[in-house]
Amino acid sequence: MLALRGIILKTSSLSLPIARSVDLYSYFRSSASYRVRIALALKQLEYDYIPIHLLKNEHLQPPYADLSPAKLVPSLRDGDQLLTQSLAIIEYLEEVHPSPPLLPPTPVERARVRGLALDIACEIHPLDNLRVLRYLVRELGVSEEAKDRWYLHWVEAGLDAVERKLAGSSATGRYCHGDTPTLADCVLVPQIFNAQRYNWALDKVPTVKRIFEACMQLDAFTSTQPSACPDARP
């Protein structure tokens, strides 16, 4: 095992050992995994990092495919409980480890934060994730150029909606909601990283850009970014 920034890397990615604390099955470029890494860091929770390499199809093979019926990352094992879906995992962490909170105190505020998170997690990410892009190219015969146009169309449409919500609300502060990071920021930042891989210009969404830059001044976001993950290294 290799200790790194409070994370323990289990170097044998396909040997899924018995958890002794909290295990996060993650891929460094997975935006859904990055959401959970940010939440764990904001709550200062230690965990064991188990890399599952998507480009090598490790998520489609045993033993991970036996562990995760959907064959997706992330998964989080807490003791003998296995959790899937990034937003559900973050909500679980919020309930089990409520401080510092990632959701604001009132029902209407919580609904706003969840709405912003879902604008990205449900309206952008499912259309642009790896398995969809692979299907477009491999099964439907779409060219790489057309695939990129598909990707950028949904990123632009989705982030434009998020921008209008953020810019038009007095609840927006330094971050998506007020002056402390919330669930919405945990979801926003990974989507921006993903968009930047396709050279999408953030100048089109100035409020989103400002919030992204504020988040990236915090260690919880920088220390868990894709390039900082153990499996990002050759």
Side-chain angles (χ1 to χ4, degrees):
M1 296 184 186
L2 172 67
L4 180 68
R5 298 190 183 186
I7 301 170
I8 296 175
L9 168 65
K10 290 180 174 171
T11 54
S12 178
S13 61
L14 287 181
S15 116
L16 310 184
I18 296 175
R20 59 182 181 79
S21 54
V22 175
D23 286 347
L24 177 65
Y25 301 93
S26 174
Y27 177 57
F28 73 104
R29 279 185 179 161
S30 161
S31 55
S33 297
Y34 187 13
R35 298 167 193 164
V36 176
R37 298 195 303 263
I38 293 167
L40 287 162
L42 286 169
K43 291 183 176 293
Q44 300 182 356
L45 299 173
E46 292 188 357
Y47 58 95
D48 293 346
Y49 186 106
I50 304 178
I52 304 296
H53 203 297
L54 300 189
L55 295 184
K56 296 178 181 177
N57 293 324
E58 290 179 356
H59 58 303
L60 304 178
Q61 307 165 19
Y64 187 72
D66 297 332
L67 184 74
S68 172
K71 302 176 184 177
L72 300 172
V73 293
S75 295
L76 184 90
R77 188 192 292 277
D78 188 0
D80 59 358
Q81 300 298 317
L82 183 73
L83 307 172
T84 61
Q85 292 293 340
S86 61
L87 268 63
I89 292 169
I90 295 172
E91 292 265 7
Y92 167 80
L93 295 173
E94 180 74 356
E95 293 184 18
V96 175
H97 304 281
S99 181
L102 298 180
L103 289 169
T106 70
V108 69
E109 289 177 298
R110 290 196 294 271
R112 178 180 183 269
V113 167
R114 288 183 174 117
L116 287 165
L118 292 171
D119 280 334
I120 297 167
C122 294
E123 306 299 336
I124 303 175
H125 181 253
L127 293 163
D128 285 344
N129 69 13
L130 178 62
R131 62 178 179 171
V132 169
L133 299 179
R134 278 179 168 177
Y135 189 84
L136 288 172
V137 173
R138 296 177 181 180
E139 302 299 327
L140 300 184
V142 170
S143 69
E144 287 293 325
E145 181 183 0
K147 180 201 73 175
D148 290 350
R149 287 203 311 271
W150 166 279
Y151 177 92
L152 292 170
H153 170 78
W154 296 114
V155 166
E156 183 154 353
L159 288 180
D160 178 69
V162 172
E163 171 70 20
R164 285 186 282 112
K165 282 190 175 183
L166 291 171
S169 174
S170 61
T172 303
R174 178 172 175 79
Y175 303 104
C176 286
H177 189 88
D179 294 326
T180 57
T182 64
L183 169 66
D185 302 285
C186 294
V187 178
L188 176 67
V189 166
Q191 182 58 62
I192 299 306
F193 265 80
N194 208 322
Q196 287 179 327
R197 289 177 56 210
Y198 285 79
N199 298 315
W200 192 74
L202 274 181
D203 293 340
K204 300 175 182 179
V205 285
T207 311
V208 166
K209 180 181 180 182
R210 175 183 63 75
I211 291 170
F212 171 74
E213 290 172 348
C215 288
M216 294 311 295
Q217 294 178 29
L218 300 178
D219 182 70
F221 292 83
T222 59
S223 67
T224 58
Q225 66 182 297
S227 63
C229 290
D231 51 333
R233 294 162 179 76

